[in-house]
Amino acid sequence: MQSETMGKRIAAFRKKRGLTQDQLAEQLGISAQAVSKWETEVSHS
């Protein structure tokens, strides 16, 4: 069994709580684009 990626875990956490990417971003004080990148694993620091 393959382990879940961090992006999938973030998306699952957000969806379980009924939050949009915008809402989660606002709560974290970051941009919705950052949340999207995390979930799609586009961002590479």
Side-chain angles (χ1 to χ4, degrees), residues 21-32:
Q21 288 181 343
D22 288 331
Q23 291 168 327
L24 179 60
E26 185 176 336
Q27 289 184 8
L28 296 175
I30 60 173
S31 71

Side-chain angles (χ1 to χ4, degrees), residues 10-24 27:
I10 292 169
F13 170 90
R14 176 179 62 77
K15 291 173 185 177
K16 185 175 182 180
R17 284 154 184 78
L19 298 172
T20 65
Q21 288 181 343
D22 288 331
Q23 291 168 327
L24 179 60
Q27 289 184 8

Side-chain angles (χ1 to χ4, degrees), residues 1-5 8:
M1 183 164 80
Q2 191 174 9
S3 63
E4 274 188 299
T5 63
K8 288 180 182 178

